[in-house]
Amino acid sequence: MNILNTLFFVAVVGILADATLGASWSYGDISAWATNYATCATQQQSPIDIVHDDAIVDTTLGDFTHALFDAPPQTMTIKNPGYTVQIDLTGGYTIDDPSLLPGVFKAAQFHLHWGNSSSAGSEHLFNGNQYWGELHIVHYNTKYPDLGTAANESDGLAVLGFFITKDYPQDNTAVQRMIQPLTEDRVNYNSESESYTTTFSMETFLPNNISVYYRYQGSLTTPPCYESVMWTVFSEPIRISTAQANIFETRIFSADRGTSNPDLVNNNYRPAQPLNGRTVFRSTQCSGTGSFSMPTFHFVALCATVIGLIIVR
């Protein structure tokens, strides 16, 4: 990987510093992003507010299945780059189905955005509502040699977005395996990382229904905000417990270990951006008409091609 591709790579995976692209950024000063990174002020930015009634049915969109995500990667490394929790993948699964994505896309990493104990923190909104958090699985188009090269290509990236609620009545065991290094305070400070001794598939923590989703063309949600992302945002959320959410809200820090009074990483989301005439598509005529959280249950309104369903999970 040459030096230019390396710079693109670190931009995508979220490790930006003054030495990379000439400026730094933070969630505390989002208004400055457009000044330091011109692309952040362009017309196809992410995230957005997904409004179900405004989304156009695309009957060519296929169904995502759990089998697509079933193969564990060769290696997985969890890291704290100072403003998120990220898991890098080597040998991640590949999506090769033209009804799902227009190309062959390989999973490279996933990361999370979240709120705090009193406010929500998903990046995308759904019908104007914000969830507690959001998980993004980042893929690159294999027509390009690597993630860094694909980052600034119009068809370079595909990101799958999953909302997260903290209303599950017990710990989500699949998510617990993911965050165990955080629970044990091993990757909780800036620049810390650890490889998992045993890898696990993405399928283990995905929601049951992944056939209902929304699709639009957008951008990275962090600088340099390249407009290279085909977004797929799923209707049904991942559910975690309040205790698991508390790990993110109170035990992830932006400073190095040993720093006095380090700042917490929370509310690490970009606000919704203008749609600017873009079309949002949905996967089926009978897609989710809305969702809302209650203390114990999460209701997602779905309907199948023939019969309407309300799934209570």
Side-chain angles (χ1 to χ4, degrees):
M1 185 183 294
N2 62 37
I3 184 63
L4 182 59
N5 287 345
T6 300
L7 296 186
F8 285 153
F9 177 81
V10 297
V12 174
V13 300
I15 307 173
L16 274 173
D18 289 345
T20 59
L21 296 178
S24 61
W25 61 269
S26 75
Y27 285 107
D29 192 15
I30 292 176
S31 62
W33 291 8
T35 301
N36 295 325
Y37 304 90
T39 308
C40 295
T42 49
Q43 296 297 298
Q44 296 193 73
Q45 290 293 291
S46 297
I48 62 169
D49 181 6
I50 297 169
V51 179
H52 170 78
D53 288 344
D54 293 341
I56 304 300
V57 174
D58 185 345
T59 58
T60 68
L61 292 175
D63 288 345
F64 282 88
T65 66
H66 282 256
L68 286 169
F69 306 94
D70 199 37
Q74 296 169 3
T75 66
M76 303 176 72
T77 301
I78 184 171
K79 62 175 60 175
N80 176 352
Y83 53 87
T84 188
V85 171
Q86 178 176 306
I87 291 85
D88 290 342
L89 313 174
T90 301
Y93 65 86
T94 298
I95 298 176
D96 184 6
D97 182 339
S99 76
L100 300 178
L101 293 171
V104 179
F105 285 82
K106 190 173 188 63
Q109 58 107 319
F110 62 92
H111 60 268
L112 299 95
H113 303 264
W114 60 90
N116 59 34
S117 59
S118 59
S119 65
S122 67
E123 296 217 294
H124 288 90
L125 307 182
F126 187 68
N127 290 336
N129 298 310
Q130 190 173 26
Y131 284 76
W132 174 84
E134 190 169 335
L135 182 145
H136 294 158
I137 309 178
V138 180
H139 311 69
Y140 70 93
N141 193 330
T142 58
K143 68 186 285 186
Y144 304 109
D146 50 57
L147 181 65
T149 306
N152 197 25
E153 300 290 344
S154 61
D155 61 349
L157 302 178
V159 179
L160 306 184
F162 297 87
F163 294 117
I164 305 172
T165 65
K166 60 173 184 178
D167 61 352
Y168 205 53
Q170 65 269 340
D171 287 348
N172 180 320
T173 55
V175 171
Q176 189 60 38
R177 176 165 50 179
M178 179 203 308
I179 67 173
Q180 195 62 31
L182 305 173
T183 303
E184 298 176 358
D185 192 30
R186 303 199 301 270
V187 193
N188 297 55
Y189 290 83
N190 180 51
S191 299
E192 295 183 335
S193 65
E194 178 178 294
S195 295
Y196 293 92
T197 55
T198 302
T199 64
F200 50 89
S201 72
M202 308 300 99
E203 187 277 333
T204 60
F205 57 77
L206 298 184
N208 287 343
N209 188 298
I210 55 174
S211 63
V212 180
Y213 59 89
Y214 299 83
R215 167 69 51 79
Y216 78 98
Q217 191 66 35
S219 73
L220 301 176
T221 63
T222 57
C225 307
Y226 292 142
E227 292 180 342
S228 56
V229 180
M230 175 164 285
W231 278 96
T232 304
V233 181
F234 292 83
S235 176
E236 185 173 347
I238 297 168
R239 299 176 65 199
I240 66 175
S241 68
T242 301
Q244 289 174 318
N246 184 256
I247 297 295
F248 291 93
E249 295 166 352
T250 66
R251 296 180 58 183
I252 312 298
F253 301 97
S254 60
D256 294 347
R257 190 178 292 271
T259 302
S260 299
N261 300 314
D263 289 333
L264 287 167
V265 175
N266 53 33
N267 294 322
N268 56 344
Y269 64 91
R270 187 187 193 190
Q273 302 297 298
L275 196 57
N276 291 325
R278 284 174 287 174
T279 300
V280 178
F281 297 95
R282 50 188 170 99
S283 59
T284 175
Q285 182 68 39
C286 273
S287 192
T289 58
S291 59
F292 58 92
S293 293
M294 294 183 67
T296 305
F297 300 102
H298 184 84
F299 296 81
V300 180
L302 304 170
C303 51
T305 304
V306 178
I307 184 169
L309 304 175
I310 295 291
I311 296 180
V312 181
R313 305 186 60 250

